[in-house]
Amino acid sequence: MSVNQIVELLKNHGLKITPQRVEILRFLQNNRIHPTAQQIYEHVLSKVGSVSFTTVYNTLHTLEEMGQIKKISISETTTIYDIDTSDHGHFVCKICGNVYDINYRVTVNAPGKIHRTELIVYGICSQCDDYLQRKS
């Protein structure tokens, strides 16, 4: 979904379109890095110059409720946001902390309708593994 389409969706939900909200959407759409709310806040602050962390957090919460982003807890203290809402998993490197999208298929015999599946794999990415191999 494009930023313009998401902006229209926000309008349709009765939300005011502000430069801060637009920049949050633009950042999520153009930077598929699985950012934290803090990273989004810092980016928007640098671009717009005036934004509260509460505005960023509330906008992310609204986008999640609308089904436009996924909120993913990758540890007890770290939550990331993903604008790609398709079924996919995430690989978290325990060395560099980067988060990568991964494809997977699951066959589930559930006793009801499934709304979301989530897979988080923890390990060492190939770049960190190569570095560790050269270092030893």
Side-chain angles (χ1 to χ4, degrees), residues 6 10 23 33 36 41-42 53 55-57 66 71 81 90 94 110 113-114 125 127 133-135:
I6 296 172
L10 289 173
E23 191 58 38
I33 59 169
T36 64
Y41 166 75
E42 289 170 4
F53 186 79
T55 296
V56 171
Y57 186 78
M66 293 167 51
K71 177 181 175 182
Y81 295 87
H90 294 92
K94 67 180 189 174
K113 186 176 179 182
I114 296 172
C125 70
Q127 289 179 339
Q133 294 299 324
R134 286 192 310 269
K135 193 175 172 183

Side-chain angles (χ1 to χ4, degrees), residues 1-3 6 24-32 34-35 63 67-70 72 81-86 88:
M1 183 173 270
S2 73
V3 171
I6 296 172
I24 290 167
L25 294 166
R26 187 175 290 128
F27 180 75
L28 288 169
Q29 189 68 34
N30 296 331
N31 298 281
R32 303 294 179 98
H34 305 95
L63 290 170
Q68 299 305 306
I69 63 172
K70 286 183 184 178
I72 303 157
Y81 295 87
D82 194 348
I83 199 162
D84 180 357
T85 60
S86 67
H88 67 281

Side-chain angles (χ1 to χ4, degrees), residues 13-110:
H13 280 81
L15 296 170
K16 185 177 176 184
I17 306 306
T18 64
Q20 292 85 353
R21 287 183 177 147
V22 170
E23 191 58 38
I24 290 167
L25 294 166
R26 187 175 290 128
F27 180 75
L28 288 169
Q29 189 68 34
N30 296 331
N31 298 281
R32 303 294 179 98
I33 59 169
H34 305 95
T36 64
Q38 182 67 35
Q39 289 171 313
I40 296 166
Y41 166 75
E42 289 170 4
H43 169 81
V44 174
L45 187 61
S46 73
K47 292 292 187 182
V48 178
S50 173
V51 67
S52 70
F53 186 79
T54 301
T55 296
V56 171
Y57 186 78
N58 288 342
T59 301
L60 293 170
H61 180 73
T62 300
L63 290 170
E64 179 189 11
E65 283 185 333
M66 293 167 51
Q68 299 305 306
I69 63 172
K70 286 183 184 178
K71 177 181 175 182
I72 303 157
S73 295
I74 59 170
S75 74
E76 290 182 20
T77 59
T78 304
T79 299
I80 60 171
Y81 295 87
D82 194 348
I83 199 162
D84 180 357
T85 60
S86 67
D87 281 338
H88 67 281
H90 294 92
F91 178 92
V92 180
C93 179
K94 67 180 189 174
I95 304 293
C96 66
N98 286 340
V99 180
Y100 303 89
D101 290 337
I102 57 174
N103 293 321
Y104 72 99
R105 291 183 188 262
V106 175
T107 303
V108 179
N109 187 7

